[in-house]
Amino acid sequence: ASRGPNGKVSNCTVTDTYTQTSGNYSGGIIGVAYRTAVEGCDAINTSSTGFSYVGGIAGAIHGQASITNCNASSEISSKGPYAGGLLGVTYEQSTISDSNATGNVVSTYAGDAYVGGFAGAIYGASKVTNSCATGNATATKGQIAGGFAAISYGSSSITKAIAMGDA
């Protein structure tokens, strides 16, 4: 975890790894980023598994955190409500730009869940721009799935985004 207010994770590459937690916040680079900038990082051929908040780069970002110019080539598996190819959830005016997610995302949660090729959920005036998702998002027990994001609300925005996977 990273807790700013001026935290920074930059120019890193993680390859051929498996990240697993029986709890929340599992990511290929960072579990949760609060008021932290994640820049120029890649998670290549990785796998992240957890209960909730699971993503290829980060499980969750919030508190005006950011992800810029990052790429995740990951297989994501969640037993809980938030999972995405790049990140599980973003909220509190966080931003994601110029980033890509490749790989499949699966959630086996039986309750309300959000599964996306790029992000499970985009909340709280967060913004996503210039980004792409190419993996499939699968909600195995009737949850909400989206090729790019399962849900976006609360003045959040998604612009110049592409999703090429199935949901």
Side-chain angles (χ1 to χ4, degrees), residues 19-143:
T19 305
Q20 179 179 4
T21 178
S22 59
N24 298 327
Y25 305 110
S26 180
I29 301 290
I30 191 167
V32 60
Y34 174 75
R35 294 186 180 190
T36 299
V38 181
E39 302 171 348
C41 292
D42 298 318
I44 301 167
N45 194 32
T46 63
S47 178
S48 293
T49 302
F51 177 73
S52 187
Y53 308 103
V54 183
I57 294 291
I61 67 169
H62 63 107
Q64 299 176 341
S66 64
I67 294 177
T68 307
N69 196 28
C70 291
N71 300 289
S73 174
S74 306
E75 296 297 315
I76 305 300
S77 176
S78 173
K79 295 178 182 176
Y82 296 99
L86 193 85
L87 73 155
V89 65
T90 177
Y91 51 99
E92 294 176 346
Q93 301 174 346
S94 294
T95 60
I96 301 104
S97 63
D98 304 307
S99 296
N100 303 295
T102 302
N104 297 313
V105 183
V106 177
S107 176
T108 58
Y109 190 58
D112 293 337
Y114 305 100
V115 184
F118 189 83
I122 301 166
Y123 296 145
S126 291
K127 297 182 183 340
V128 179
T129 59
N130 240 9
S131 296
C132 179
T134 60
N136 299 321
T138 305
T140 62
K141 297 190 178 180
Q143 313 94 329

